[in-house]
Structure formats: C-alpha cells, structure tokens
Amino acid sequence: GSYTLTTYNTLGFAGDKETKNAIIDEILEKNADFVCIQEGTTIEDLRYWHTDPDRIARLCARYPYVHFSNKNHTLGCFSKRPIGIIMEQSIGNYFYVEAYKTSGLGGEIYIINTHMESIGLTVDDKRLYMDLTQTAKKETLKGVRSHLLNKLLRADRQRAVQARLIKSIADS
C-alpha cells in the first residue's frame, strides 16, 4: 500500500478567482490522502471570496475531514481519513506548528505541519540586491551587504529556534 501527503503554502488562497480555483484544482488532481495547508483559510472563507462552488464541493467530498486552526486559520489540513489534532502552537507572529494523528498503512500516522517565519527580505531589499549586483557600485555595496546580512542572520537565528522545536515535537 501507499499513503500520499502533499503540502501547500497557499498565501491565503490569494489572488483572483482563477488563481484560487487553480490551487484547488491541483489539490484535487494530486488526490493525496492528506493535504497540509500553510497560510490557508477556512472553507467558509473560500465560499465568501467567490471561489467556484463546484470546486469547493468536490474538495469537501474528496476530503470529508477538514481542520483549520481556531487560533489563526493559518495552518490546516484536508484528509480522507479521520484526524486528531495533537497540538497547536505558535511563537511570535509568523511561526505556527500543528501535529495531527490519522490512520493509514495499517496503523497510526503522525504528521507535523509547520509554517516557519520568512527570512524577512522585503520586495525593496530584493530589488536593491538585484540593482547592486548588476551595477556593482563598491561604495554602496558595503552598506547594503551589512543591511541584508543583518536581516539574514536574524532570520537564521529565528529559524534555528523553530527547527529545534519542530525536532522536539517529532522526537516526542
């Protein structure tokens, strides 16, 4: 036998109607047993935001077990089999982790779903990097290097803490 799992950061199913429908279409096409969602939204919100009702109905029929966190609606899952929510935790504004218990392959399956904090580079930071690497102005590279490295170092430290927490959850 097999058990399939997919995971999607949906950006809140953001975008126009076709973008939202394309994400749902891909989930339906992959037909995984279990689907982890980060930056998700509830089924009710999908209905509210003008997503195709037929696609939502097919999603709900395929995945009768749906969970979105009561705390933030950021993490969630769709499952073909019953699920238990073992734990939900958040640290800060952008790090969320949940653990689920379901069945498959003749036994219990434990799944960890997480949304780690981004590295913190803004669109302007990325544009600045691209502009500088194309023009290579030495006098400005030093300040930009310091600015970007500080952001990346902070993000690296944050993610290290988050990764240790995820590991301790998995080990337990």
Side-chain angles (χ1 to χ4, degrees):
S2 67
Y3 187 88
T4 55
L5 179 139
T6 57
T7 183
Y8 295 88
N9 184 319
T10 67
L11 293 170
F13 289 90
D16 59 19
K17 185 174 182 175
E18 286 311 308
T19 304
K20 292 174 191 176
N21 291 332
I23 294 169
I24 294 171
D25 287 346
E26 183 168 330
I27 291 170
L28 290 168
E29 179 187 325
K30 298 297 179 188
N31 194 29
D33 294 297
F34 198 93
V35 181
C36 290
I37 301 290
Q38 302 87 41
E39 294 187 32
T41 189
T42 64
I43 296 294
E44 292 75 25
D45 284 346
L46 281 175
R47 286 186 180 111
Y48 177 79
W49 290 109
H50 310 293
T51 307
D52 180 0
D54 178 59
R55 284 180 172 93
I56 295 173
R58 286 188 290 143
L59 186 68
C60 291
R62 172 95 37 96
Y63 298 102
Y65 305 97
V66 178
H67 164 76
F68 280 94
S69 172
N70 291 329
K71 294 180 182 179
N72 55 51
H73 301 299
T74 296
L75 293 183
C77 62
F78 299 105
S79 179
K80 293 180 178 180
R81 297 183 178 103
I83 55 172
I85 312 309
I86 297 172
M87 59 89 55
E88 298 174 312
Q89 187 172 351
S90 62
I91 298 175
N93 294 325
Y94 303 105
F95 173 65
Y96 308 99
V97 62
E98 293 182 347
Y100 315 113
K101 178 179 165 182
T102 189
S103 61
L105 301 173
E108 293 178 337
I109 296 174
Y110 295 89
I111 298 167
I112 297 173
N113 186 10
T114 184
H115 179 274
M116 295 179 80
E117 194 165 336
S118 83
I119 59 173
L121 294 182
T122 65
V123 172
D124 289 338
D125 291 334
K126 294 172 188 174
R127 188 175 304 118
L128 180 60
Y129 171 79
M130 294 303 292
D131 290 346
L132 284 173
T133 55
Q134 290 172 2
T135 59
K137 296 177 182 176
K138 270 193 172 183
E139 62 276 0
T140 56
L141 280 176
K142 204 173 201 181
V144 171
R145 178 178 169 257
S146 175
H147 170 77
L148 293 178
L149 282 179
N150 285 336
K151 277 190 165 186
L152 293 172
L153 286 171
R154 266 194 313 278
D156 187 53
R157 288 184 188 113
Q158 286 285 104
R159 283 190 164 198
V161 169
Q162 295 167 4
R164 283 193 291 276
L165 176 62
I166 294 166
K167 182 183 182 317
S168 72
I169 292 167
D171 289 346
S172 70

